[in-house]
Amino acid sequence: MMKKLLGMSIPTLICLVLILSASSQEDMRYVSNEPFDNPRRPPSVFRHDEHNELAEIETCSFCHHVYDDKGQLVEDESSEDQLCSACHESERSGNKPGLMKAFHINCKGCHKAQKKGPLMCGQCHVKTGAKDE
Ligand code: HEC
Ligand code: HEC
Ligand code: HEC
Ligand code: HEC
């Protein structure tokens, strides 16, 4: 195994790592609350792929967005390789909401607009199970 890996070129190895990490959302079942210092709620249920299929959201960048310096959305770019917390800090800065708000505006905003999907705290922050399912 080691010999085989060592035999691969650097670009091949980089690709392999990218492919492996890109498929990591496949069995994502909740949004981690690790970036929060003292989480007050259980992590929110979010079956990434299943959710996005059911909700018929086709563009990754709808959630994994990229903005330019002027605050304009960059249409064809996606930040799927970064956690939301890579850019959203605990407090808001300018037009960039703080981390909790960023999640709530994204998730609840769409559920409200579409009149589909949970809006009550306990429906997302499910007390038992989210982690152990
Ligand atoms: C549509 C799903 C959804 C709903 C509804 C929702 N949240 Fe959240 N909330 C999230 C997500 C996603 C996060 C990011 C971290 C995580 O998974 O807990 C979060 C984070 C938080 C955090 C910061 C992390 C922590 O645990 O301290 C708090 C506090 C919170 N929510 C409270 C609430 C309260 C109170 C309500 C009801 C008024 C609510 N949420 C409704 C999805 C939701
Ligand atoms: C409805 C919003 C939404 C859509 C649409 C979406 N994602 Fe995600 N994705 C998330 C959230 C939320 C996380 C967890 C981010 C965090 O914990 O900060 C995540 C995590 C990921 C991760 C893991 C990131 C990491 O570094 O651990 C990958 C990879 C990913 N998404 C890829 C995709 C791809 C590819 C698409 C399009 C096919 C997509 N996502 C569409 C919301 C979304
Ligand atoms: C590469 C950095 C970056 C990442 C990663 C990122 N954001 Fe943002 N986000 C921004 C910036 C910058 C703004 C402010 C844009 C502006 O100036 O209007 C913003 C604005 C927002 C807004 C308010 C505007 C809107 O779109 O409704 C929400 C909500 C939001 N982000 C949620 C999220 C969520 C949820 C994630 C993870 C799935 C995420 N962001 C990942 C940089 C990022
Ligand atoms: C662009 C719109 C959109 C966004 C953004 C979105 N959702 Fe949803 N969500 C939906 C729709 C539509 C449904 C109902 C799907 C169905 O059952 O037909 C749904 C259903 C759900 C459900 C119930 C079904 C299930 O999988 O258990 C949960 C939980 C949920 N969403 C959590 C979240 C969280 C957490 C986020 C933010 C990280 C989020 N959603 C962001 C549109 C969205």
Side-chain angles (χ1 to χ4, degrees):
M1 181 69 179
M2 253 345 254
K3 267 216 175 115
K4 262 196 184 150
L5 282 177
L6 288 172
M8 285 184 196
S9 65
I10 300 291
T12 314
L13 276 176
I14 292 175
C15 278
L16 193 69
V17 170
L18 285 179
I19 291 166
L20 287 176
S21 55
S23 58
S24 68
Q25 83 281 10
E26 256 169 46
D27 24 72
M28 183 176 165
R29 308 190 68 77
Y30 63 94
V31 179
S32 168
N33 58 8
E34 268 169 39
F36 294 91
D37 287 338
N38 292 301
R40 284 167 283 166
R41 299 264 164 177
S44 171
V45 178
F46 185 59
R47 300 172 186 88
H48 192 281
D49 288 8
E50 195 184 306
H51 173 276
N52 295 342
E53 233 164 79
L54 267 176
E56 295 172 0
I57 318 172
E58 269 136 35
T59 42
C60 308
S61 58
F62 184 90
C63 299
H64 298 288
H65 49 213
V66 176
Y67 288 91
D68 66 16
D69 296 341
K70 295 187 196 87
Q72 296 294 318
L73 197 64
V74 185
E75 291 283 348
D76 305 321
E77 264 181 64
S78 165
S79 57
E80 75 209 34
D81 55 341
Q82 285 173 289
L83 297 177
C84 311
S85 58
C87 301
H88 292 273
E89 288 143 40
S90 55
E91 300 302 323
R92 73 171 297 127
S93 83
N95 287 330
K96 193 174 65 177
L99 188 59
M100 181 180 78
K101 273 274 163 125
F103 282 116
H104 285 166
I105 294 170
N106 175 273
C107 311
K108 293 201 266 183
C110 177
H111 293 171
K112 211 180 246 167
Q114 297 205 5
K115 299 194 169 71
K116 272 187 196 167
L119 290 169
M120 311 262 280
C121 318
Q123 290 176 302
C124 285
H125 299 286
V126 180
K127 269 206 191 89
T128 52
K131 229 171 181 161
D132 327 304
E133 256 180 276

